[in-house]
Amino acid sequence: MTPTRPHPPFDHGAALRVPPPHDARSWQVLWSWLGDDARAVAEASAVQVRTPDGPVVAHCGDWIVLTVGGSFHVAHAARIHDA
């Protein structure tokens, strides 16, 4: 009897975090990884990423996730806003 798997194996893809502006090496890695699916924005330490829902701006500390299907998604980090 072969064991049955109730769910297919989960493959979460890969993710990179948007680095701080002074980390040139990490920015170089991020740009290489994103390729043509990203553009620089005027705001420091931010990148515009093409996602299935349209372009999304990712800031320093946000995660950019590459799914198994080959599309990017942005997971925004919590930000503290002044009142």
Side-chain angles (χ1 to χ4, degrees):
M1 176 184 240
T2 60
T4 59
R5 297 180 76 165
H7 303 286
F10 180 73
D11 186 354
H12 59 273
L16 285 178
R17 197 166 206 169
V18 178
H22 64 274
D23 190 349
R25 184 171 186 268
S26 294
W27 274 102
Q28 184 179 14
V29 170
L30 183 65
W31 287 120
S32 295
W33 188 63
L34 292 171
D36 294 335
D37 287 322
R39 297 183 344 163
V41 294
E43 186 176 341
S45 66
V47 59
Q48 181 177 310
V49 182
R50 187 179 321 151
T51 71
D53 298 326
V56 176
V57 175
H59 296 88
C60 179
D62 291 344
W63 287 94
I64 301 174
V65 180
L66 176 61
T67 66
V68 175
S71 59
F72 288 106
H73 295 273
V74 176
H76 295 289
R79 290 186 179 69
I80 299 172
H81 298 282
D82 293 335

